[in-house]
Amino acid sequence: MICLGIESTAHTFGVGIITEKGKILANVKSAYTTKEGGIHPSLARDHHEEVAESIIQQAIQQANIKEQDINLISFSQGPGLSPCLVVGKEHARDLAKRLKLPLVGVNHCIAHLEIGKLLTKAKDPVLLYASGANTQIIAYDNKKYRVFGETLDNGIGNFLDRVARNMGFGFPGGPKIAALAKKSKKYIELPYIIKGMDVSFGGIQTNIQQKLKNGFKKEDLAFSIQETVFAMLVEASERAMAHTAKRELLLGGGVACNERLQEMCDIMCKERKAKSYVPENQFLTDNGLMIAWQGILQQKQATKTYKQDIRPRERTDDIEVSWKS
Ligand code: AMP
Ligand code: MG
């Protein structure tokens, strides 16, 4: 079985193609970026509409297959921005209709976790999912991927993007903060907000805005931001690992591309004789391949049919894990 998967929850329109055995045939994407300011949902939608057909065709070419070789189409149902989700769904539906193939809708967050497991061979990890709109600490327990901790307000990526915007940079801001942070070792105290296993970034953002007005250096702030917010994520992840007695940590989401976050996760895991796994960057940020792989997992257990609507607010723990992974 070969599945073509379409991702379009937010800034990225991506198409991946993968076989039932997990052989990667293609992963092509185009991301909406800005010189200044954040994501505008309707502009991201326009971007997706503009590139969709070409990205689908490029993926088929990269896979070196014919359309007729594809057996299944999948798409990201949510969570995500409705205008963006609709583009992915419509292109997936049209393709499935034209090629007379089954269509499977999948949950984006779970797809991050399952592709990470496939690529790293982690068996039963705690996932630290740190992306633009989502920040969750997820682990499998009794037929569901349970959320052990999460952000109470913004995703960590959106937080970094907003801070970068306040500093005068465009989207995505995370890599710009990361580059600035490398230029400093001066720690400026910032609020450290973790409530139980949940984190929150709004207060920290306001505090930074104030500090920027008061003339603190951008690179010192960038360094301090990373040290503070990544420590919050590592603390919550460690607690989830202790609670579930799991010995693997898997990173997912665009913010997981950050080398300092990876290093901190690695240190924490070594201290508790656990292992930290990080897939390659192209599979950490949003991508079509993870959607294709999740499509395969769900289609292989044919007892359940999946609805084909978009679900902008779907939660990780809404989904019953009925596939074997
Ligand atoms: P995703 O939504 O999973 O595709 O991730 C996108 C988010 O990842 C954006 O908010 C980016 O700013 C952030 N991001 C990408 N690369 C890095 C990096 N090296 N460090 C921190 N954040 C990053
Ligand atoms: Mg994502």
Side-chain angles (χ1 to χ4, degrees), residues 165-196:
R165 199 189 320 163
N166 289 335
M167 292 183 177
F169 303 113
F171 173 85
K176 282 153 195 147
I177 300 280
L180 266 183
K182 285 196 175 142
K183 296 185 186 160
S184 169
K185 286 265 176 246
K186 184 171 168 195
Y187 185 75
I188 297 164
E189 189 138 345
L190 294 173
Y192 183 91
I193 304 174
I194 177 157
K195 298 175 185 172

Side-chain angles (χ1 to χ4, degrees), residues 77-232:
Q77 274 183 309
L81 303 168
S82 302
C84 298
L85 288 168
V86 167
V87 180
K89 184 194 100 172
E90 287 183 349
H91 282 271
R93 187 198 53 202
D94 291 352
L95 201 58
K97 255 193 191 157
R98 185 157 63 75
L99 301 174
K100 300 193 173 55
L101 294 176
L103 179 63
V104 179
V106 313
N107 176 283
H108 175 95
C109 307
I110 289 179
H112 269 290
L113 192 145
E114 291 292 0
I115 195 69
K117 280 167 68 180
L118 174 75
L119 296 172
T120 65
K121 309 265 183 291
K123 290 194 175 59
D124 182 20
V126 167
L127 173 75
L128 169 55
Y129 174 37
S131 81
N134 304 291
T135 300
Q136 290 184 332
I137 292 148
I138 304 168
Y140 182 81
D141 183 42
N142 192 21
K143 296 211 176 335
K144 281 194 171 179
Y145 284 117
R146 313 268 169 189
V147 178
F148 284 84
E150 65 189 315
T151 179
L152 297 171
D153 44 32
N154 308 312
I156 185 165
N158 285 359
F159 158 78
L160 293 171
D161 295 334
R162 282 185 195 165
V163 170
R165 199 189 320 163
N166 289 335
M167 292 183 177
F169 303 113
F171 173 85
K176 282 153 195 147
I177 300 280
L180 266 183
K182 285 196 175 142
K183 296 185 186 160
S184 169
K185 286 265 176 246
K186 184 171 168 195
Y187 185 75
I188 297 164
E189 189 138 345
L190 294 173
Y192 183 91
I193 304 174
I194 177 157
K195 298 175 185 172
M197 312 250 290
D198 294 331
V199 293
S200 142
F201 301 106
I204 309 176
Q205 195 192 323
T206 311
N207 186 283
I208 294 162
Q209 235 166 337
Q210 208 58 44
K211 286 197 163 67
L212 277 170
K213 277 194 199 132
N214 291 341
F216 282 84
K217 280 166 82 183
K218 287 179 188 170
E219 51 262 43
D220 296 340
L221 283 175
F223 172 75
S224 311
I225 288 164
Q226 290 205 155
E227 295 304 303
T228 307
V229 296
F230 294 164
M232 286 159 43

Side-chain angles (χ1 to χ4, degrees), residues 254-274:
V255 179
C257 296
N258 188 287
E259 289 169 13
R260 180 60 182 143
L261 177 59
Q262 293 177 3
E263 183 184 33
M264 287 166 82
C265 289
D266 215 33
I267 294 169
M268 179 271 279
C269 283
K270 281 198 178 118
E271 281 177 358
R272 44 183 311 117
K273 300 198 169 34

